[in-house]
Structure formats: C-alpha cells, structure tokens
Amino acid sequence: MDKNEKKNQKILKKMSKENNKVPFKEKVKQGAHTAKEYFIKDTSKMILLIAIVIALYLVINLWVNSINLAQIDLTKSKLHTLTDQSKNIAKNINKEITFYVWGYSDSSTVIDLLKQYNAQNEKINYKIVQKDNMDLISQFAFEDDYPALVGVNESGRNSYISNYDLFTYDDSYNTIDLAEQKLTNAIVNLSIDKSTKVYFVEGRSDYTTASGIYYLNQYLSEEYYETASLNIVSTPTIPDDCDILAIMGVKTDFTDAETQAICNYIEKGGDIIIANDIDYINTNLSLPNFQKILDEYGVSMPNKLVMDGSTKNQVSGYNLVYQSEVSADHEITKILHNSRSVTPILVAPGMIELDTEKISTNNITATPILTTSTEAYVANLSGQKIEENENGYYVTAAALQKTVESGEESRAVIFSTISSFSDNSLDGTYPIIAYNKDVILNSFAFAANQGELYSIRKTQADTPFVVTDEKDNIVKIVIYAVPISIAVVGICVWLNRRKLK
C-alpha cells in the first residue's frame, strides 16, 4: 500500500468518526430518555433516587455544620467581618482562650465573630452556656435577660463583657458596633501575663479617679488596666510596678523632690500621660517644676486659650468647644482619621509648643496627633483675638518617644486639655470623655507600648446592606432557583408517569 492510499484511509476514518459523532444536545436528550426509562417507569428506582438526593442533602448540611463556617457578610463595609488588625492579633495568640457565651443564639453576630477568631487560631474557642448548665451559670453569675460573655484563659484569668458593652452611639445617634473591638481587646488582655499598671498622680489636681476622671478610670479598668492613685506630695517616689504615670491636671506646682522623682522615672524609661487645662483665673500662672518635667520631652504648655475659627470644627451651640483635626501619621490616631466615626472634641484647649532644638539634641521623636485648623487663634475668655499664629495652626496633643541613657525608650502623650477627658457633660447625658474615648485609650495603649493599637468601631449608618452582583446571583439561586428547579422536576416526573399509564 503506497503512501497516498494510507493517507486516504486516514481521511476516510476521520470522516467516518465525525459522521458518527452525536451532537451535544442529542446526547442530553438521550441521557434524559435513559433516565426516564430507568427511573420513572420503575417506582422502586424512583424512590431510591429521591432517597439518594435527600441523603446527599443531609450529608452536605451536616458537613457544613461540622466545619463551623461563619456567615457570609454581605454588608458594604464588612460590618460583621474581622478586620485585618483582629486577624493578625488572633493568629499570634499562644494561650488557650475560651469564651463562655450566655443569652446569644448560634446565629447571632457575636457567635459569628467568635467563629471567625477560631478560624484564625484554634486556641480561641467558645461555648454557648445552656440554661441547664447550672455550674457555669453560677460560676459566672449569668442572669436571665442579661446576655453576656466571659473570656477565660488557661490560667483561669477572665474578662467579662456585657451586652451593653457591645455597642454605643456617635454624636449623630447612629449605632456603633463595638463587638469586634471588645472581643479583640479581651483576647489581647487574656493572652498577656500581667495587667498594665497605671498610677494617677493626686494632690496637685482637682481631678481624681473618684471625681473628675471617674469615667476615664472606669474605661481603663474595662480595658484591663490596673489603676491606682498615687500621692507623691508626702512620699515623692514612683512605685517600681508603675507602667504608666498619669498626670491629669496641675493646679499647684510640684516640689523639687516630686519633680526629681518623676524625672528619674522618665530617665529609667518610664512612660507618662499628661493632660492639663489652662488657668483662666491666674492668667500669669508659672509652674517651673512642672515645666522641668515637660522639658524632658522638649515641649512647653503656655497658659493661653486657643480658639478655632473654622466653622467646620466649631460645635454648634457650645462656646469654646471644637472638633479636632486628627493626624493620619501616628498609630494613636490613624484609625480615627480613616474612620471618622467619632471626632475628638476639644474643650477650651490650650496649646503645646514643640522645641525643635531640644527635640533634635535629646533624641526625641515628636508627632502632633490632635491639632486645630489653620484658622485658629489665641483669645481671651470673651473670645477676643489677642494673638495670632502666622500659620494659624496649633498643636493640642502630641505623642513623644525618647531614648534614655540606658537605651530604654520613654513614651509620653501630652494633651493641652484635661476637660476633654473629664466627667463633665455638654448636654447633661454623656460625659465628654465618651466623645474622646478612642483617642485616650489608644494613647494609654501607645504609652504602654502594647504593640498594634486597635480601635474598631463600625458605624451601622455608614454600612448599609449592599450586595454585589455576584453575591446577589448566589442569593437568588439559593432562595429561588433551587426550590423552583425541584418543583419543576417533580411536575415533569408526575406528568411523565401519567403518560406512561
């Protein structure tokens, strides 16, 4: 057989195969006919097919439940999805933590968040406490109609979160979801070996943890700080277990011994929070020893009132109350700058002056975190302009880091108004600190060098239910297409069986 004949035979075989090919539509028809002949005519086989479908459905559902999947979050701003901050924190937890959950159903958003934490790290678990589990109910003092969570670590240390801790409201009365923030805070604090100890200096201020900054003290306690009062007037020493020294308002100057004790604390790498109001009565007030403490960080706080001329920052109906400009360049405020859910409020602010020469020569890093607008000016109590900054811009809060001789780092956050974090109220309802809670708690976390700061507040007004086209199609398939398909198949089977009779 020559080459041409072989070639012709191959062509003929190929043509024969192509002629014998069954079109796809015809194959579908043949398959449907075969299935009809096999199942529909035989009742027992039809029952078997239905049983197989039901069994597959049950198996798939049991498998989905066993892997404890979190719900799909269809909100535009991922209201019910863990942020990258929380995911990173959860991944690095190396202690067993269990949340005992009371009063929440398995379909609640709280349980959904706990499932997501568990997906990031199997050491983070949860258990829903049932009403017949009297031992756990008694142990954690759970009560009917009062949902709550208690996180417990492997050492037995626990943290309590009530349902009321999981939300708050912004200044427009929109609901702010705090569930992730509270749970992440609890996880971090249950994973560390000891609480951060904060000492509030008393004896030189009208602000005490019992009156004036009571809510600040409460907020810190809720974030698992251990707080105490310290009167260094009689005993000018700083305890060795002090993690943060808080000076909240100075009415009279420190003695030389007190000043030396605080400066020694700073030179050992101690961390500090300072907030101080201007003195309206004694306008020429001089606090030289207090200034020595501020000199450690290259700053000064002149006794001068700052007013913001920007109508955008003025709070309607209140004199000397302004919304603050928030820095995007520091870890304390960058999250607040991005979310803008609750803007910090400045009440009769003063100013913080940064001495660039001292800062440079003393190895200090200084970052403004709260400022006025460029339309601000210095004024008297009547609001009259008495001094004007060429730049029209004033620093009202700053974060500072200083490397001391031992190589340790001392951190400080300084505010020009303690009134902004006080128990006082603007409208008789919320204390002023409620508007500034994020920035003050992040400041304490920064001073304590707790690592990545997290202030996770998701405003529901900003996160409407918006579904993408892809997710919308999935929902429609699940809700409509699957049941309709089953109904259509059932009708077709019924009609075919009638024809075969």
Side-chain angles (χ1 to χ4, degrees), residues 28 38 85 112 115 122 126 149 168 188 210 224 280 287 343 378 386 415 439 447 476:
V28 172
Y38 187 78
Q85 285 178 291
D112 191 56
K115 289 178 180 179
E122 292 182 353
Y126 73 92
L149 303 90
T168 186
V188 169
Y224 315 105
Y280 307 118
L287 302 171
T343 305
V378 177
I386 59 175
F415 297 91
V439 70
K476 286 178 180 177

Side-chain angles (χ1 to χ4, degrees), residues 6 10 24 85 106 114 126 166 176 240 257 271 289 295 375 382 401-402 472:
K6 287 183 178 179
K10 286 182 180 179
F24 178 74
Q85 285 178 291
D106 190 58
L114 290 171
Y126 73 92
L166 300 181
I176 299 175
D240 291 337
D271 302 313
N289 279 335
D295 284 340
E375 300 176 43
S382 300
Q401 295 164 260
K402 173 185 178 179
D472 185 52

